[in-house]
Amino acid sequence: MTHRPSVRRRPAVVVALAIAAVLATVLSACGGAAGSADTPKVGDELRLGLSRQITGINPHKGGSPDSSGSIVGSIYESLTRIAPDLSVEPGLATAWTSTDPLTWRFTIRTDSKFSDGSPLTADDVVWNFQQLLNPDYKGTSGAPLRKYLKSVTKIDDSTLQFNLSQPALDLPGRLWTIFIVQPLFAQSHNLDNEALGSGPYKLDKLDQENGATLSLNTFYAGTKPAFAHVKYTVLASEAQRVAALRAGEQDLILNLDPLDLAQFKDSDTYDTILGVGTQPLTLAINERKAGTPLADPRVRQALNYATDKTTIINSLLQGAVQPLPGQVVYEPYQPQDPSVRAYPYDPEKAKQLLAEAGHATGLTLTVALSSGTYVSQDAATQAIVAQWAKVGVTLKITQQPFPAWLQSQYGPDDAAADLYYIMWGGSFRGDVTGNFGPFRSDHIQSHLRAPEFDELTTKAQNAATEAEKTTYVNQAIENAYSQAHAIFLYPSPFTGVVSKGLEWTPKPNRYLYAQQVGRAAQP
């Protein structure tokens, strides 16, 4: 079967229209009209704000869209890309064909060059995948690949063959974060803080605490970006982000609290964005800490019943989203299981379950927050503290800078917090199994004990047909709901403030790639 990016099946069209409606809602919040007489001008340097500290720019280690991921995606290229409407489109690959469930062929460009002028070849792509498929290689992006991909081989200078151990119906979408590095450079430099890619920009300077500066890759084979220079600035707190905007020091910032958007509602300089993001926000659970009461599903269910999501949404998020439907997939981004609904707010039910689990007199838990990284996180957590106190649960808050917080989640179960926020998934249209990653027992950031969920999601990922995949996906959703492997909160709101001098299609998965930002037309 041949897959070309321009082909759309009817179900995908329906989903695309739904996503377009969401984007239209977001765009309607951006009230400025490009090309009007009062369109502000922006400078030669594009100024983009990041809400998380940078953890390194190694393209083989992934990266948050709110920090490293946006920088990496501006410097490097992958075989496929994700468009603002979340469709999969060509990157280094121009077309792809599945000859059988375990074999795919990709046609790749032959005109791409790294920013030092050296050509990007099929051999370079093969080398990158060989590294990632090596279990001893430290690139964390390889772990998901090794579950289904045996090897990548070169057929000729423009053709690669992917040899799978298990079917992967959505393989092109899975490859969008597999960025291609120059092999000789990768073997002689520290990719955590140095870069050589074939993308539209090259790295000039990196300061992980404060930001990065980029300039044009003059050898880039694609369309030249609108800005010759880009400055990413880390603004890790809400106060920093608001202050930078009020001072006119930033052109585009995402991840502002909805309540703060009102400050810029009637601005002559900025438009505001408030919509539904692609990533579900949950409180992830440490079920493996020695002696933890969270090992009991009744306790986890009780915490879901004790959480009044609707009040949080209405009071802090301007009603922009709805509670998660008891699962980490939701319309219009993924088809959800219609048989599963959101946990209702029911404190009496929560008390009953806690008593049955032996905690009638209460219990104490800790939640670890990462500074400034999730929309309205601090205020929402304070609300949850008050709500849980009504059922006898004391929730203590700790807070760390994002890099330290992330490392603590990567660490041993007994050193990790009882609860921590996870906002994950929604990378490309139909990416259902991708949302399940952190809720599997084997994920690097997981502290779950979920063997049934693991088995069902593996079967879904390896399904040979869409019908088989849907069956296992729904069974996995129902298992995660009944076992309460997360506190299901709500989709993260997609928020931001954008200069009226820019032309930018909001990308609700929050990857802020500099090459996708243009200048508004001037009169």
Side-chain angles (χ1 to χ4, degrees):
M1 180 171 58
T2 299
H3 299 257
R4 295 189 182 275
S6 60
V7 175
R8 297 284 187 270
R9 293 183 181 138
R10 183 172 179 79
V13 172
V14 174
V15 175
L17 290 174
I19 293 175
V22 173
L23 287 174
T25 301
V26 172
L27 284 165
S28 69
C30 302
S36 62
D38 60 351
T39 298
K41 293 183 179 180
V42 289
D44 293 332
E45 181 180 69
L46 176 63
R47 303 168 302 173
L48 304 175
L50 299 174
S51 58
R52 284 179 169 177
Q53 288 185 11
I54 301 163
T55 55
I57 55 169
N58 188 325
H60 286 175
K61 292 184 178 179
S64 163
D66 309 308
S67 60
S68 306
S70 290
I71 297 171
V72 167
S74 300
I75 296 172
Y76 292 94
E77 291 185 283
S78 49
L79 292 178
T80 58
R81 294 191 296 245
I82 307 302
D85 69 353
L86 305 186
S87 62
V88 180
E89 63 180 18
L92 291 171
T94 59
W96 37 85
T97 301
S98 176
T99 57
D100 63 65
L102 299 180
T103 309
W104 287 73
R105 287 196 174 184
F106 284 73
T107 302
I108 65 169
R109 300 177 58 155
T110 57
D111 60 348
S112 295
K113 293 182 179 181
F114 293 102
S115 59
D116 65 350
S118 61
L120 190 159
T121 68
D123 292 315
D124 294 331
V125 178
V126 169
W127 181 88
N128 276 259
F129 278 96
Q130 286 175 338
Q131 299 304 300
L132 290 166
L133 291 175
N134 180 353
D136 295 326
Y137 184 61
K138 296 189 182 299
T140 53
S141 298
L145 290 175
R146 292 193 291 270
K147 294 177 181 179
Y148 62 86
L149 180 61
K150 291 196 299 186
S151 65
V152 178
T153 55
K154 172 184 170 181
I155 303 301
D156 56 45
D157 288 345
S158 63
T159 311
L160 299 172
Q161 180 165 300
F162 282 66
N163 306 298
L164 280 58
S165 57
Q166 302 287 346
L169 295 172
D170 54 359
L171 179 63
R174 298 186 192 187
L175 300 179
W176 76 276
T177 55
I178 307 301
F179 294 101
I180 305 304
V181 305
Q182 212 274 1
L184 292 177
F185 184 89
Q187 295 173 78
S188 57
H189 292 75
N190 182 356
L191 293 179
D192 287 338
N193 52 42
E194 300 175 86
L196 179 62
S198 62
Y201 288 97
K202 61 184 180 69
L203 179 70
D204 293 332
K205 182 180 179 181
L206 175 69
D207 178 340
Q208 292 192 14
E209 289 189 5
N210 297 302
T213 56
L214 314 181
S215 60
L216 287 177
N217 168 13
T218 57
F219 296 100
Y220 179 54
T223 302
K224 182 180 178 180
F227 291 88
H229 300 280
V230 179
K231 183 177 182 179
Y232 284 99
T233 301
V234 174
L235 301 165
S237 73
E238 180 75 6
Q240 286 178 303
R241 294 192 281 275
V242 171
L245 289 165
R246 292 180 67 86
E249 296 171 351
Q250 294 294 305
D251 298 316
L252 200 169
I253 294 181
L254 302 181
N255 274 17
L256 271 75
D257 289 355
L259 295 179
D260 282 329
L261 295 179
Q263 300 181 47
F264 307 97
K265 180 179 178 182
D266 299 317
S267 169
D268 293 331
T269 305
Y270 295 112
D271 290 318
T272 60
I273 298 171
L274 178 59
V276 181
T278 64
Q279 296 179 309
L281 184 64
T282 67
L283 276 174
I285 299 172
N286 186 344
E287 300 177 10
R288 299 197 299 240
K289 182 181 289 188
T292 179
L294 294 171
D296 190 327
R298 293 172 296 184
V299 174
R300 305 193 297 265
Q301 292 165 359
L303 297 180
N304 273 285
Y305 284 116
T307 308
D308 185 356
K309 301 171 285 292
T310 299
T311 294
I312 294 172
I313 290 168
N314 290 338
S315 60
L316 300 177
L317 308 182
Q318 301 288 285
V321 296
Q322 296 293 321
L324 285 175
Q327 51 198 298
V328 294
V329 296
Y330 52 93
E331 304 286 357
Y333 300 115
Q334 306 95 17
Q336 63 197 51
D337 184 342
S339 69
V340 175
R341 297 285 187 269
Y343 275 92
Y345 177 51
D346 190 341
E348 293 306 314
K349 179 70 171 179
K351 290 178 183 178
Q352 175 190 333
L353 287 166
L354 289 170
E356 291 175 2
H359 302 287
T361 59
L363 57 92
T364 299
L365 301 170
T366 60
V367 58
L369 306 187
S370 55
S371 300
T373 61
Y374 296 117
V375 170
S376 302
Q377 166 197 257
D378 292 359
T381 305
Q382 291 292 346
I384 292 171
V385 168
Q387 292 168 6
W388 288 9
K390 295 177 182 179
V391 300
V393 176
T394 299
L395 183 62
K396 295 183 177 180
I397 300 173
T398 64
Q399 196 159 46
Q400 297 172 291
F402 177 65
W405 174 88
L406 188 62
Q407 286 304 311
S408 72
Q409 302 314 321
Y410 285 169
D413 300 323
D414 287 345
D418 297 313
L419 300 145
Y420 51 97
Y421 284 98
I422 285 288
M423 187 168 66
W424 182 276
S427 299
F428 59 91
R429 185 187 303 155
D431 181 18
V432 178
T433 58
N435 281 36
F436 293 154
F439 306 100
R440 290 176 54 97
S441 306
D442 58 358
H443 190 271
I444 188 172
Q445 211 168 332
S446 170
H447 300 280
L448 295 174
R449 184 171 284 111
E452 294 177 356
F453 183 79
D454 296 345
E455 181 181 0
L456 290 167
T457 52
T458 296
K459 289 180 178 179
Q461 290 167 343
N462 298 337
T465 68
E466 290 292 346
E468 181 184 6
K469 177 180 175 181
T470 297
T471 296
Y472 288 125
V473 163
N474 288 346
Q475 289 178 8
I477 288 171
E478 290 155 14
N479 174 265
Y481 175 87
S482 64
Q483 294 297 308
H485 285 309
I487 312 302
F488 301 100
L489 298 176
Y490 35 78
S492 179
F494 178 47
T495 66
V497 174
V498 186
S499 169
K500 294 178 186 288
L502 297 180
E503 182 177 298
W504 179 65
T505 300
K507 194 170 185 179
N509 64 5
R510 305 190 334 279
Y511 282 90
L512 192 51
Y513 297 149
Q515 65 270 24
Q516 294 178 342
V517 183
R519 297 178 184 272
Q522 297 294 325

